[in-house]
Amino acid sequence: MGEPLVVPLSEEVGSVEVGGKARALTALARAGVPVPAGFVVTTAAFRRRTDPAAVAEIRAAVAAAYAGLGSPAVAVRSSATAEDLPGLSFAGQHDTFLGVEGAGEVFAAVERCWASLGSARAAAYRERAGIDHAEMAVVVQELVDAESAGVLFTVDPVTGADGVVVNAGWGLGESVVDGSTTPDTYVVGGPRPRRVIGDKALRTVRVPGGTAVEPVPDRLRRAPVLTEAQTAELAALGAVVHERFGPSDVEWARHRGGFAILQARPVTGGAAEAREWNDTVRGDYLWTCANLGEAVPGVMTPATWSVVRTLAPPPVGGHPVNGIVGGRFYLNLSAALAVAGALGLGRVARKAMAQTLGPIPADVPPLPMARPALLRAALRTAAVAGVESVRYRRRLPALVAANPARCARLRERIAAAPTPAALVGLWHAEGHDLLLRTCRTFDAGARQGGPGAVHARLRARVGDDDAAVLATGLHTDSDELVSLGPALGLARLRAGRLDRATYLDAWGHRCADEFELSAPRPAEDPDWLDRALATAEGDPEERLRAQAEARARVWARHPGAERALRRPLAKAAAAARGRELARSEMVRVFSVLRAFWVRAGELTGRGDDVFFLPLPELLAVLDGDPTPFAAVPGRRVAYDRYRALPPYPTVLRGRFDPVSWAAQRDSAQRDPGPGGPDVTGLPGSGGIAEGPVRVLSTVEQGAALRPGEVLVTSVTNIGWTPLFSRAAAVVTDVGAPLSHAAIVARELGIPAVVGCGDATTRLATGTRVRVDGAAGTVTALGGSSSPDTRAAVVLAGGSGSRLGGVDKPGLVVAGRSLLDRAVTAVDGARTVVVGPERELPRPVEWTREDPPGGGPVAALRAALDVLADLPEHTVTVLLAADLPAVDHTIVARLVAEVGECGAVLVDGAGREQWLLSAWRLGVLRAAVPAGGAGMSLRRVLGGLTAARVPDPGGAAADIDTPEDLRRFGG
């Protein structure tokens, strides 16, 4: 038997047969929601619409189903297969017909719905969404002769906040939906319940042959459409829809004392994005990313967040313990302190949190819960934490011993999975247990408490300075601190005491963004070790020996304290090593999860699209359902937008809009007002050091850090550890006394100030500073001893004549456009792009060459006009946008050689590459003539004295032919 042409709405059918709208209606009807009776003309009928014999059969099936309804007036609505998917409502793109009567008219309306799939507006919508195929089903339902109707949103449609929002008007719902009248607005629940009565001037009513719009009688214009009781009844129906479909946009009607639900689709636009990417819309909570921000320093893909959320503690009375804010990971302090307070541990919890998270504000907003309910929720939370702690202590040694081999075996099996079905079977057989049991146990271990009272006793006995020295020693010859592993491993590899395979087995899963599933691991990159060894300097073992000698001297001064406190300190050190070890094995599990997503991308042919699918959606795709991919384009846009923003403040309260905050921050930086560059933060590691600042935004820029410079960055983690031996001191925006920067800096005897909030914006590369780790201060000394790299000019115009005149900057090479690669290579610098504007992963300034077509000198002159406000000594990088091999490393080498003039890259043939060079801005201003149309950069810059920097790996090679494109993976 072939596929059915018509099915009743009461039947269970798949979305491919009936489209998104009908699928939702059938599910609601089965859930007991009042849905008008009707039927669906399936996609099978749509596919046969060009066959005359089939059309006669379809017409007869529609007539029979219509007669089965009693031949009433009906609504005929489109239900495309790509319609009403997450992030894609298709609202208004396809046709709807109301008040249709007669079998012939109903079939004609069905045909018009089919035709609307090919309309210009629908085709353009699908193209923007990246959908290349869709089919049309059609819903036919009894028309509700509504006394009132409207729209219900199960969350705030603007902010995504909790609360049901109802729009209500008189007559049929079209006047509300199309915006021709001002409806009543009722908000039920949420932070601001309210009733606003609109001036409802018009209504849509049934007339013979269809519908018409008429004025609303004066007595009804300002009268409420629904009573409070009726609004509550409708909100209860909305809750059923929300439970079934999540945040939804629902059309409803009221007739003869009852409600009917006409359709329901996912909320899209800003509200949907807020619900998916920003948990601050959920209530008045206090959030912090201290410590969390170093574990997960960037914007998470949906894949990563789905795994992190799976590991999170359960909500406290419905209030989240962890959350996502503009894609970044945050802890809900309101929930954590509410639990502690309910158990009588509020003061103790604040002290413990201060060690790991920094100072806790006094005015933490409480959870809106009655005390008995809060106490019950707190007891449940404490019970779960207790079970996890016991499980951790019992299972950790065996899990740690077995985990490396287990992960290696599973990674091999994942890589060998031949089909999506085999891969999903592997998940259910092994991956599920690895995540929910093993990884959860490691997570519990990584969250175990800090040193507690022992450090307070130590400070009381020996004073703050000596206590800071004795608090080190977590790493010993017999018990290594795994956080130091990468740095020590590279030093041993460089000295010939360790081989490459052993290093990668032990540390190949650790990196700066190690919890992000889309981030490649060092073990995946055959060149990673060579790059790391090329920039690794200093001897961490020598620093550790110096710290051990310092501890011995302090103990000699306090023999009584040594007898009383050495054993408690050793116990605290063992606990710290255990936490770090648990975290390292948890990261190893995440490397296996990454391998699972990568293999899914290979088997489905969708590549890195899979990182925009949460785990349940990925498993559905592997089971054969492609519909989750429809949400990927919108999620990519949101991800790129948030990734382009600077890191958010460490502490947030209430609703936070990252985009608005970033715009205000940029404005404040352009007009900083009075005050110097001095910075304060939290004491991380004692000691005083002086040196020039080096601001780095990513660990890939580490080649620019010179021995004796002060490393200033947003956040550090184990991926940054190899750089510490070169640094005179470490300063971070995010962190606390037990953060990674503080722990590792103390072990190596490097002064550190953490949790400064704005060090990366207040301090400039080259500024000499004094860092006082014990006081938590960074003081500017004046002067500059290294280049101030703050500007870059990227030339992105022109086309490749030997590539068929294509837009070269837009060419995609190994998954990224050439222009994206160029802008990333100068990340952290104020960047001017000369060429047509387009979307990029971070903000830049745009300009065009003057005159148009005037060549690179005219383009450079236009960029210099944009940079007119910068001082003469600013180092400015010149970069072409068609150099696929250029990266942070080569840019840093150029900048380091600028001196008083400039530095130019020299390729393997000995040619100077003026479009990969760096210069003092004043030198460029003096050399580049006004206009400069038709002149070459070689003629303008060739006579200047510039250091020559050899090209280490083809960075100067551009893409000019199809062979070049193939060579670089385009």
Side-chain angles (χ1 to χ4, degrees), residues 75-77 95-99 143-144 146 148-151 169-181 202-205 211-213 251-253 262-263 265:
V76 182
R77 294 185 172 96
D95 287 344
T96 293
F97 304 95
L98 303 179
L143 181 68
V144 177
S148 59
V151 179
W170 298 112
L172 303 180
E174 287 357 87
S175 296
V176 175
V177 173
D178 66 18
S180 60
T181 195
L202 299 173
R203 65 182 178 186
T204 302
V205 297
T211 62
V213 177
E251 292 186 20
W252 60 271
L262 307 180
Q263 67 173 320
R265 56 180 171 239

Side-chain angles (χ1 to χ4, degrees), residues 511-513 519-520 528 531 535 696-704 719-720 723 824-825 827 887-890 892:
C511 60
D513 207 1
W528 184 89
R531 294 196 303 271
T535 58
L696 301 180
S697 59
T698 67
V699 72
E700 288 78 16
Q701 298 172 336
W720 293 78
L723 301 181
T824 302
D827 190 24
D887 59 16
H888 288 296
T889 303
I890 191 59

Side-chain angles (χ1 to χ4, degrees), residues 283-378:
D284 184 18
Y285 307 126
L286 188 73
W287 301 89
T288 180
C289 68
N291 269 24
L292 299 179
E294 71 170 28
V296 189
V299 173
M300 294 178 286
T301 55
T304 300
W305 174 232
S306 72
V307 173
V308 170
R309 184 169 50 189
T310 299
L311 298 172
V316 177
H319 300 279
V321 175
N322 294 331
I324 188 171
V325 180
R328 295 180 183 271
F329 193 22
Y330 275 75
L331 169 69
N332 185 352
L333 283 176
S334 292
L337 288 174
V339 169
L343 299 175
L345 301 172
R347 189 170 299 177
V348 174
R350 278 181 172 270
K351 288 183 179 179
M353 287 182 180
Q355 291 186 2
T356 56
L357 304 176
I360 307 299
D363 57 339
V364 177
L367 296 186
M369 297 176 65
R371 179 164 178 75
L374 178 58
L375 181 59
R376 288 193 296 271

Side-chain angles (χ1 to χ4, degrees), residues 605-750:
R606 296 299 295 258
D608 66 356
D609 278 357
V610 296
F611 293 113
F612 294 89
L613 299 180
L615 176 59
E617 291 184 7
L618 182 67
L619 296 178
V621 164
L622 293 174
D623 276 329
D625 178 9
T627 56
F629 281 120
V632 168
R635 289 172 183 166
R636 275 191 183 275
V637 170
Y639 174 77
D640 289 340
R641 178 165 61 252
Y642 290 130
R643 191 179 59 165
L645 303 179
Y648 316 145
T650 302
V651 178
L652 306 171
R653 175 170 178 173
R655 186 168 186 269
F656 174 77
D657 181 351
V659 176
S660 298
W661 166 81
Q664 294 169 2
R665 174 182 180 269
D666 289 346
S667 176
Q669 287 179 9
R670 285 192 294 269
D671 184 18
D678 293 354
V679 170
T680 60
L682 301 173
S685 176
I688 296 175
E690 295 183 5
V693 163
R694 174 66 63 180
V695 180
L696 301 180
S697 59
T698 67
V699 72
E700 288 78 16
Q701 298 172 336
L705 180 69
R706 301 173 182 175
E709 290 184 326
V710 174
L711 171 60
V712 178
T713 189
S714 177
V715 61
T716 69
N717 54 32
I718 195 168
W720 293 78
T721 302
L723 301 181
F724 278 32
S725 294
R726 265 187 281 161
V730 177
V731 179
T732 68
D733 289 339
V734 177
L738 288 184
S739 65
H740 178 273
I743 291 173
V744 174
R746 283 195 294 269
E747 289 300 297
L748 296 176
I750 301 171

